[in-house]
Amino acid sequence: LYDFKIPVGIGRKEILENENYQKEIEKFLERVDREVDFVFIAERFMESMAIFREMFGLEYSDVAHFKINLMSRNNSVETLTQQQQDQIIEFCYIDWLLYQKMLVKFEKIKLNLRYDLKYEIDIIQRLNARIAQYCVKPNQYKTDQSEMMLPDLNEAGEKDVCCQRIVEQEWILNHIIRT
């Protein structure tokens, strides 16, 4: 944890008016920039997965996944107005600065790639589609007691340990996200 020495509830305006707050935040951002080698950007999920696979020497099968975006299933994602965005930035200013810094880092990582990122993403997406076609009943999902949406395995998927493992990983990931 990092202590910014900034009282809780201080927003963007107060931070911009206080040089000490700005220095603390800049020290933190520089430290994170030095210590973090990989940045996973949620809204750039497939790019992040492809870079992650390459950076850590993983197989394509290591990053294969079922697309289970729980938020999009219940239409809970809305486009924020500019005023709402400004309010979020006002109250989460340090988080916003960190996010902006990490976006820059992500783009630098992409610039230094020695492979075709679009090609890598295409391979992962094709693998995902083949796995889903092999393992999962089309467009069928089931809900367990904790309302976790999981793919409903087809007959082949029920017998295949790899299919079962991928479904289990999705359940664990979704459980972590919800708790």
Side-chain angles (χ1 to χ4, degrees), residues 133-178:
Q133 184 179 18
Y134 175 75
C135 297
V136 180
K137 291 180 182 176
N139 300 320
Q140 291 187 7
Y141 295 90
K142 60 185 175 185
T143 305
D144 69 11
Q145 292 100 354
S146 57
E147 299 185 18
M148 302 304 262
M149 298 180 79
L150 296 175
D152 193 7
L153 293 175
N154 61 26
E155 190 174 323
E158 291 285 350
K159 297 175 184 173
D160 191 303
V161 175
C162 292
C163 293
Q164 294 166 11
R165 193 173 132 234
I166 291 173
V167 169
E168 181 180 284
Q169 290 171 349
E170 292 297 331
W171 184 86
I172 291 168
L173 176 63
N174 283 300
H175 177 72
I176 291 169
I177 290 169
R178 287 183 172 264

Side-chain angles (χ1 to χ4, degrees), residues 2-6 19-29:
Y2 190 86
D3 180 9
F4 292 104
K5 301 172 184 80
I6 299 174
E19 199 172 301
N20 290 331
Y21 293 166
Q22 291 178 45
K23 286 179 184 177
E24 285 298 323
I25 293 168
E26 189 55 40
K27 281 186 349 191
F28 167 72
L29 293 174

